[in-house]
Amino acid sequence: MKPVRNDRLVGRSVARREDPRLLTGRGRFVDDIELPGMLHAQFVRSTVAHGRITAVDLSEVREVPGVLAAFTADDLVLGDIVAQLGRPLDEFVPTAMPVLAGDRVRFVGEPVAVVVARDPYTAEDGVEAAKVTYETLPPVTDEEQALAADAVLVHEQAARNTLVDVALFATEGIDEIFDEAACVVHVEARTGRQNALPLETRGAVAHWDDREDQLVLQTCTQVPHQVRTVAARCLRLDERAVRVIVPDMGGGFGLKCVVGREEIATAAAALRLRRPVKWIEDRKDALSASFLAREQHYTARAAFDADGRILGLDADIVCDMGAYSCYPFTAGIEPLMAAAELPGVYKVPAYRVRGRAITTNKAPTAPYRGVSRPQHVMVAERLMERAARELDLDPVEIRRRNVITEFPYTGVNNMTYDPGSYLESLDLCERTLKEAGWYERQAAARAAGRHIGIGYSCFSERTGYGSAAFAQRRMEVVPGFDLAEVRMDTSGAVTVTTGTMSHGQSHETTMAQIVADALGVDLARVKLHQGDTDRITYGWGTFASRSIAVGGSAVRLAAAKLGDKLRAIAAAEWGVDPDQTELDLGRVRRRDAPDTALTHRHLAETAYLKSHLLPKDIDPGLTASAVFDVSNDGTFSNATHGAVVELHEGTGQVEILGYVCVEDCGVAINPQVVEGQCRGGIAQGIAGALFEQVTYDAQGEPSATSFMDYKVPTAHEIPDITIRHLETPCAFTETGAKGAGEGGTIGAPAAVLNAVNDALRATGVELDNTPITPETVHRALTPSAPEQTP
């Protein structure tokens, strides 16, 4: 029963409830935690990319004043972290990731031993005293080396260093389609390896609670229950004996939605010493030895008819996943995502794709905001642009002829897309850029010899992945559902507990908006609890834009159940049927006599303090729980991005002059929060398009270990962003909301790259790789020097 309200909170940009605490320094992050007798840990890390460990000498480490302990893999005897797919060995090869490397290291920075000391500085001194001897092996540092017939193997069981090799789709007759097509265009694109770069690096504080007979691990993770599961397995404890708590978290972006090794080793040290132990990752380790993402290589072609309508799409995708599979998603996370979703928003009638994950001697890969979609959208959009040039069509018009317009639409990739505004967002984006005068300014600038380009990107963001969608990947661990509990205390205040995990998404505000509307209570009286594995049976955390679509739906269902119980108690007191009651602001009232009402406080006191007055069919207390899952392919947000760039001849710099985002995430619970997600995501997408990249030398040494080398855009490089909203409600989430967390990142690289190529049109040069460096742009803009005559 919906409450009677004229001031609904869902859909309003109410102020973020988190901000007063976080902006005044009253947030509590992992590094803020101080416990009596706490020790500090740091890790001895491999200095070679590939080698056998022949000796680990920690004797001098233990002699450093203030060092209390130092442990190797042999000392701790921990179980390995193993992620699995239910696929045959010719499609997927599992790899065991040891918590501490025992006999072999596979990337620079891999943890070999943990040092525990009285303070973090002494722990670092202890690390420097460690002596590790290696028998070095040739490192595998790129795709060509990895796939060579005589390749050195990173894992002996993985032939040609291939962990995943899957052909998901192959339309019959596709070769004939390409042979007979009026136009066939090709794109070969490579994208740079990136770091998700959350403001707060990883960290953990662990201690043993004798009273509860329980290991308590406080860590900044997006997936606390999965950390609990893995920690219990590695430490050989019952899950009941492990409690994971997440304090405030300064960003995650996917990097923290996998289980790391250092958190487990920190917990093991605390368990062994029976003392609290803290580990905080420094920025050098975060840049070079943490999980990375995005290094992908696409070889793609598309067939079009003479009118610019796509006939077929054929692609080969190779993703460099580094040294190990991440838990729980495995090395399949990037190639399987890209292969399944490459057709995107376009009506592709024929499709063939091969997706591979290779292993190299680099830090392993984890999901990063958008997970392959920034890359495969960039490739699809480059194909559209190239076809438009070949067929002499306007780049917006060729998209109009190919975007999905009738819903639900089942694509060649066997996905069913729920209703969206693909064409509408494209039209509105173009109109917004035209109304802002960018096309006229571009024409005038080009006449003056300046290089200004306009580029577009059309895409969908698959969100609300349920267990059915994840099961299609054949994961051994299948995320999807979410649990929620809503309870009211005797004062009428409400506490909400969910399995999602905020790391900057404003859940304390948006979840409270959903509950306040569902129950008819004041927003200030709703409190959210997340990130404690002892508070809720199981939760899958926050990733893949699932929190509001899935978690918010579970919260809405639980709140509705609690509302029904409030009405049932009131109905029993009045002696009427519950259907004759309705929720109002802070009370339940009678439909036939609106002035007759009982406050939530009155009803709560009855439920808890006067339960003898309740009918036998109503249990004491005011608690309700619910679970929500999605049984189909999920829901699809969509957007169109438009970028305006200028290329500067003297420096090769790419300046973004304007940026427009037209987004549709269904019902926006809080439009201001959605805009924040868009702007932050676009900034990260621009970073990948123009700045950020981790490279490796021939010995497997990473190039970027500080911000001197890892180029991050500042506010100066990020333009003002115009955001326009469309709304196509989702029909099967409880609030009509779709996900909004990753769309900004997904669309930005393609829009920027297409704008750069539009600016280069007069040169005849086309770029397909990111990041786009100033050197590359400078070479494209600078004519070759004339040959000297003798």
Side-chain angles (χ1 to χ4, degrees), residues 142-259:
D142 60 39
E143 178 188 337
E144 184 178 1
Q145 289 178 344
L147 295 176
D150 59 348
V152 174
L153 298 181
V154 179
H155 297 273
E156 286 82 357
Q157 70 269 35
R160 288 202 170 183
N161 293 301
T162 301
L163 300 182
V164 174
D165 190 346
V166 177
L168 290 181
F169 308 99
T171 303
E172 185 176 353
I174 192 169
D175 289 322
E176 290 76 12
I177 291 172
F178 274 88
D179 290 341
E180 298 169 5
C183 173
V184 175
V185 293
H186 300 259
V187 166
E188 183 171 3
R190 296 179 185 271
T191 59
R193 199 171 191 83
Q194 286 184 257
N195 192 297
L197 214 67
L199 185 63
E200 180 193 24
T201 59
R202 296 181 300 155
V205 175
H207 74 276
W208 180 260
D209 186 333
D210 282 307
R211 182 176 185 275
E212 297 295 334
D213 198 28
Q214 190 177 52
L215 178 72
V216 180
L217 176 59
Q218 299 184 75
T219 184
C220 47
T221 177
Q222 298 167 231
V223 288
H225 285 85
Q226 292 171 63
V227 172
R228 182 186 70 181
T229 295
V230 174
R233 291 177 182 177
C234 290
L235 298 167
R236 298 177 178 86
L237 298 171
D238 291 337
E239 283 209 36
R240 182 220 62 78
V242 179
R243 180 184 185 186
V244 176
I245 300 172
V246 183
D248 289 320
M249 182 163 32
F253 308 119
L255 165 68
K256 298 175 183 175
C257 79
V258 298
V259 180

Side-chain angles (χ1 to χ4, degrees), residues 101 131 137 146-147 161 390 409 484 541 600 679 711 716 742:
K131 295 179 181 178
L137 299 171
L147 295 176
N161 293 301
E390 291 285 334
Y409 176 86
H600 288 170
R679 289 192 167 91
K711 304 301 183 185
H716 179 74
E742 300 178 291

